[in-house]
Amino acid sequence: MQHRHLFSENGPISKALNGYESRPEQLKMAEAIAHALRNKEHLIVEAGTGVGKSLAYLVPLIEWLLHSDNSEGPSKRAVVSTYTKTLQRQLVEKDLPFLRDNIFEGLRFALCLGGENYLCLRRLELVKTHGLFDTDETAEVDYLFGCARKTSTGIRTDIDISNSLWQKVCRESDLCYGRECKKYDACFYQKAKAVERRSHILVTNHHLFFANVASGWNVLPVFDCAVFDEAHELEDVAADYLGLEVSNFKLRHLLDSIISPQGRGLLLRLKWLSQEKLSETSGIASIVRMRGETFFNGLLEMLQDSSRLRIREGGFLKDELSDALIDLRDSLKRLADYSGDEDEKKEIEALSLRCGAIALSLRSILEQGLDGHVYWAEREGKRLRLVATPIEIASVLKNGVFDAIPSILTSATLSTKGDFDYIKERLGLSDVRTLLLRSSFDYKEQALIYVPGDINDPKTEGYEDSVIGHIRNILEITMGRTLVLFTSYSLLERAYDRIKMPGLKILKQGDSESYRLIQEFRGNRHSVLLGTYTFWQGIDIPGDDLQCVIITKLPFSVPDEPVTEARMETLERSGKNPFYHYQIPQAIILLKQGFGRLIRTKTDRGVVAILDSRLRTKGYGVQFLKSLPECKMTSSLNDVERFFEDSRKDMIHPC
């Protein structure tokens, strides 16, 4: 089927989709992707807001999957990977059903989730049989059994229970018995995997994609190509998944699974276990718990002055924990040999292997024995963790992913200064075609950029007062329908306390789940939403519900953040200027994401206020402005007021 016909004004898409408009950019993208798939090439496409990129890559992808030449064998399978759950839902609930029902009869697709998202019927039965729940969880357990009888998916999002109870009943890969499980035929996870194996398109996220890579490609069914949407997030997600981590929460969960302080756990379910062997193994578990508390208390002391700390030398904490974990591993392994029940044996062996894995990760981090990694610690509430992150993942991606399968990478923000040099270098994609497609929106008419001329430099003493004052001035004009984006949660909190104004509902990240905050924001025209990096991307609020985006500061990465610092040091050693080679391009991409929250349709109008004087005073400011859509710019608040007045008149008297 010809793409020009499919995407034309009178084509099949237009006839089936109300309000569809043919866009030249969408057709160009579809044709470029079709060419790349036919020739098994890599392709990077930046598609500005309004291009309609999901249909632009899905249509040629489905044609390639369903109509391959006979010489290439039977129909193929592809992965479409996203960063946000919002886009995943759009693909599986809207775009793919539309294409299946109207154009590509017989298309099969599946939403792929990690195994921990599924209810395990075997573990659920154990919870009830052995009383593995706390007293205050009794009502939830009864509710959970009701859900198990009613749900067709067994997915976490369909079951409203506490995280602590879910951890006791969800599927865990090393505790899964597979075909040998008595609940195999009824297993929600296995049913989902069967659907995946029958599907042409697997819709997943970047995290699960790299979990699949890290597992040796054993999580997802075999596939022939990958489309990465929201591809600007690939580097950080890949680095997270290809590193090591040890946390106090992970250790506590493991120990509670073996024997908890509340008198529950695997050991107490082993009816054949003698008192002597129970005392021996539970005693070792108690030693691990005690040494774990001592170890993580020491880590907490290191983090007293910072929530995140880079660790440059090995042996920074005394390690008596890993030896105790090895002792516990060996003790459990001996118990597995005594067990005459295969189910019990597998569960004991799985917990034994976990003990060994945590011990190995801990030693690797403490000894800093991994080349090309940065080591760091983090405190987030009561959660403490030690991490080893690969500094450069370009060669890993090139050799481990891109050399294996043809890949399409797309996003609204992949280029900087009009080229793709930055993203190509970061991801190790040298042999790749590129395509830059501007948005079809008329930004000169739809948007105004406001950069005040009297705002303090971020490095000066009066910067915070200046920013908060300008936010208040803008809100006095908009009186709501405004998203304020911060680079620091501490400044967000202080601004929240100081910008409360009569008639305005101020919402802030952290007060509720993100989607609930957005619903509340959309339901109140006099509301203001304050957010940090989570809200710079993936939020789609079209129409009049959002008319102003305030960006408080250019989103430069913090130079002493451990991973950023290590990447900058690596660039410096190679003779490159890390500020211009890494920080500026990275900040440009994130600024483009924040800007992109405003104009979502051809009828949207609004103002983006960037409260950072460096756009005007620093030489690199021009690079940021050139990367944004071409808009009218002003430094006058009066122009902002007139823009909104004109917008309101247009709404009352449309042309």
Side-chain angles (χ1 to χ4, degrees), residues 257-492:
S257 299
I258 297 168
I259 184 166
S260 74
Q262 293 76 29
R264 299 186 182 90
L266 171 68
L267 293 182
L268 299 177
R269 301 203 310 270
L270 304 178
K271 303 304 182 185
W272 51 266
L273 192 62
S274 69
Q275 187 60 46
E276 180 185 358
K277 286 187 170 59
L278 172 62
S279 298
E280 176 191 332
T281 306
S282 62
I284 298 173
S286 296
I287 292 172
V288 173
R289 194 181 295 273
M290 179 182 65
R291 291 186 181 180
E293 289 174 0
T294 301
F295 179 85
F296 283 105
N297 282 337
L299 185 61
L300 181 60
E301 287 183 19
M302 292 179 61
L303 288 163
Q304 284 298 333
D305 299 325
S306 174
S307 61
R308 189 175 289 182
L309 177 69
R310 184 174 178 184
I311 302 167
R312 295 179 177 273
E313 295 182 359
F316 52 90
L317 280 173
K318 186 177 181 181
D319 176 23
E320 294 181 336
L321 176 57
S322 63
D323 285 344
L325 278 163
I326 294 298
D327 289 342
L328 184 56
R329 177 200 68 183
D330 294 343
S331 182
L332 289 168
K333 195 172 181 181
R334 287 192 294 272
L335 291 185
D337 293 337
Y338 291 129
S339 176
D341 183 283
E342 284 302 313
D343 285 358
E344 280 183 354
K345 188 181 183 74
K346 286 184 179 180
E347 190 165 358
I348 299 168
E349 288 174 340
L351 293 176
S352 172
L353 289 171
R354 286 190 197 181
C355 291
I358 293 178
L360 180 61
S361 294
L362 182 60
R363 287 176 177 176
S364 296
I365 294 172
L366 292 176
E367 295 168 4
Q368 300 203 351
L370 299 171
D371 291 336
H373 283 63
V374 56
Y375 300 86
W376 51 284
E378 182 180 57
R379 168 173 51 87
E380 187 178 4
K382 294 182 179 180
R383 181 173 179 247
L384 301 166
R385 63 183 188 132
L386 279 172
V387 187
T389 303
I391 299 170
E392 299 288 338
I393 53 102
S395 61
V396 177
L397 287 178
K398 182 181 186 304
N399 298 324
V401 177
F402 299 132
D403 280 357
I405 50 168
S407 302
I408 311 296
L409 289 78
T410 186
S411 169
T413 56
L414 288 173
S415 69
T416 60
K417 301 177 293 182
D419 63 51
F420 295 93
D421 292 347
Y422 170 76
I423 199 72
K424 285 163 62 177
E425 180 176 327
R426 298 309 305 171
L427 299 181
L429 273 168
S430 53
D431 185 18
V432 58
R433 290 179 177 270
T434 61
L435 178 64
L436 178 58
L437 297 170
R438 303 295 185 188
S439 171
S440 58
F441 296 154
D442 186 358
Y443 282 97
K444 286 184 178 180
E445 291 298 320
Q446 292 180 251
L448 175 70
I449 297 177
Y450 168 59
V451 183
D454 58 346
I455 189 113
N456 287 41
D457 186 280
K459 294 184 179 179
T460 62
E461 188 176 336
Y463 164 72
E464 183 175 306
D465 290 337
S466 181
V467 164
I468 292 174
H470 278 82
I471 292 173
R472 290 181 63 90
N473 292 339
I474 295 168
L475 294 180
E476 285 175 357
I477 296 172
T478 66
M479 288 308 295
R481 293 181 287 186
T482 301
L483 173 65
V484 189
L485 298 174
F486 294 84
T487 60
S488 144
Y489 195 78
S490 58
L491 179 56
L492 181 154

Side-chain angles (χ1 to χ4, degrees), residues 110-308:
L111 173 63
C112 302
L113 302 171
E116 69 281 358
N117 288 281
Y118 292 91
L119 177 66
C120 174
L121 295 173
R122 183 187 65 81
R123 297 187 76 198
L124 176 61
E125 190 175 83
L126 286 176
V127 163
K128 191 75 169 180
T129 304
H130 297 284
L132 303 180
F133 54 90
D134 297 328
T135 304
D136 59 358
E137 292 177 329
T138 303
E140 276 195 309
V141 171
D142 291 338
Y143 161 79
L144 185 54
F145 270 87
C147 288
R149 288 190 293 270
K150 295 175 185 176
T151 179
S152 60
T153 65
I155 294 176
R156 174 72 174 96
T157 51
D158 295 342
I159 302 172
D160 186 17
I161 61 171
S162 64
N163 286 329
S164 61
L165 180 56
W166 182 257
Q167 289 299 318
K168 299 172 186 176
V169 297
C170 70
R171 178 190 179 271
E172 293 185 340
S173 58
D174 57 354
L175 296 178
C176 179
Y177 296 173
R179 291 185 178 277
E180 297 175 20
C181 180
K182 297 171 184 175
K183 302 287 185 180
Y184 181 83
D185 290 338
C187 176
F188 296 115
Y189 176 75
Q190 296 298 341
K191 288 178 181 178
K193 300 308 288 184
V195 172
E196 290 176 18
R197 290 190 291 271
R198 294 193 299 269
S199 295
H200 300 105
I201 294 180
L202 308 174
V203 179
T204 185
N205 59 34
H206 301 341
H207 296 84
L208 186 59
F209 183 90
F210 286 106
N212 184 54
V213 174
S215 73
W217 303 82
N218 290 320
V219 174
L220 298 171
V222 174
F223 49 90
D224 302 281
C225 75
V227 176
F228 297 101
D229 203 339
E230 301 174 313
H232 58 282
E233 293 285 356
L234 277 181
E235 181 182 15
D236 287 339
V237 176
D240 281 347
Y241 263 86
L242 301 176
L244 296 176
E245 176 185 322
V246 175
S247 75
N248 59 338
F249 279 21
K250 192 172 184 178
L251 178 63
R252 186 173 65 198
H253 176 62
L254 170 63
L255 292 173
D256 286 350
S257 299
I258 297 168
I259 184 166
S260 74
Q262 293 76 29
R264 299 186 182 90
L266 171 68
L267 293 182
L268 299 177
R269 301 203 310 270
L270 304 178
K271 303 304 182 185
W272 51 266
L273 192 62
S274 69
Q275 187 60 46
E276 180 185 358
K277 286 187 170 59
L278 172 62
S279 298
E280 176 191 332
T281 306
S282 62
I284 298 173
S286 296
I287 292 172
V288 173
R289 194 181 295 273
M290 179 182 65
R291 291 186 181 180
E293 289 174 0
T294 301
F295 179 85
F296 283 105
N297 282 337
L299 185 61
L300 181 60
E301 287 183 19
M302 292 179 61
L303 288 163
Q304 284 298 333
D305 299 325
S306 174
S307 61
R308 189 175 289 182

Side-chain angles (χ1 to χ4, degrees), residues 360-644:
L360 180 61
S361 294
L362 182 60
R363 287 176 177 176
S364 296
I365 294 172
L366 292 176
E367 295 168 4
Q368 300 203 351
L370 299 171
D371 291 336
H373 283 63
V374 56
Y375 300 86
W376 51 284
E378 182 180 57
R379 168 173 51 87
E380 187 178 4
K382 294 182 179 180
R383 181 173 179 247
L384 301 166
R385 63 183 188 132
L386 279 172
V387 187
T389 303
I391 299 170
E392 299 288 338
I393 53 102
S395 61
V396 177
L397 287 178
K398 182 181 186 304
N399 298 324
V401 177
F402 299 132
D403 280 357
I405 50 168
S407 302
I408 311 296
L409 289 78
T410 186
S411 169
T413 56
L414 288 173
S415 69
T416 60
K417 301 177 293 182
D419 63 51
F420 295 93
D421 292 347
Y422 170 76
I423 199 72
K424 285 163 62 177
E425 180 176 327
R426 298 309 305 171
L427 299 181
L429 273 168
S430 53
D431 185 18
V432 58
R433 290 179 177 270
T434 61
L435 178 64
L436 178 58
L437 297 170
R438 303 295 185 188
S439 171
S440 58
F441 296 154
D442 186 358
Y443 282 97
K444 286 184 178 180
E445 291 298 320
Q446 292 180 251
L448 175 70
I449 297 177
Y450 168 59
V451 183
D454 58 346
I455 189 113
N456 287 41
D457 186 280
K459 294 184 179 179
T460 62
E461 188 176 336
Y463 164 72
E464 183 175 306
D465 290 337
S466 181
V467 164
I468 292 174
H470 278 82
I471 292 173
R472 290 181 63 90
N473 292 339
I474 295 168
L475 294 180
E476 285 175 357
I477 296 172
T478 66
M479 288 308 295
R481 293 181 287 186
T482 301
L483 173 65
V484 189
L485 298 174
F486 294 84
T487 60
S488 144
Y489 195 78
S490 58
L491 179 56
L492 181 154
E493 289 281 4
R494 293 193 292 274
Y496 175 77
D497 292 334
R498 293 175 56 186
I499 64 172
K500 293 176 180 176
M501 298 165 61
L504 283 182
K505 172 74 172 177
I506 311 295
L507 308 168
K508 68 178 172 68
Q509 180 181 338
D511 284 350
S512 180
E513 293 184 65
S514 297
Y515 78 94
R516 294 187 191 277
L517 284 174
I518 293 169
Q519 284 180 330
E520 190 173 354
F521 175 76
R522 297 184 71 164
N524 184 345
R525 295 170 68 85
H526 296 290
S527 62
V528 179
L529 179 56
L530 314 183
T532 55
Y533 286 113
T534 304
F535 287 82
W536 285 68
Q537 56 188 339
I539 292 177
D540 188 16
I541 309 176
D544 297 332
D545 292 329
L546 178 62
Q547 292 196 339
C548 181
V549 173
I550 301 175
I551 295 172
T552 55
K553 193 177 182 181
L554 293 179
F556 285 110
S557 55
V558 180
D560 59 357
E561 190 276 329
V563 177
T564 297
E565 185 179 52
R567 287 173 179 169
M568 292 172 67
E569 289 169 356
T570 301
L571 288 168
E572 198 163 17
R573 284 194 296 270
S574 67
K576 296 172 181 175
N577 184 314
F579 180 67
Y580 286 96
H581 208 78
Y582 179 72
Q583 282 187 288
I584 286 179
Q586 187 186 52
I588 285 174
I589 286 174
L590 192 50
L591 179 68
K592 290 165 68 176
Q593 282 288 328
F595 183 97
R597 298 314 97 211
L598 183 67
I599 305 298
R600 310 299 296 175
T601 73
K602 285 191 174 184
T603 58
D604 290 354
R605 284 173 62 86
V607 171
V608 175
I610 307 175
L611 307 183
D612 196 321
S613 61
R614 292 174 294 182
L615 280 174
R616 296 184 180 278
T617 61
K618 302 294 184 182
Y620 58 75
V622 175
Q623 294 184 39
F624 284 89
L625 293 173
K626 282 186 175 179
S627 295
L628 296 177
E630 193 173 347
C631 304
K632 295 174 184 175
M633 279 190 61
T634 184
S635 59
S636 168
L637 204 58
N638 291 331
D639 289 340
V640 174
E641 193 165 11
R642 278 193 292 271
F643 183 91
F644 281 112

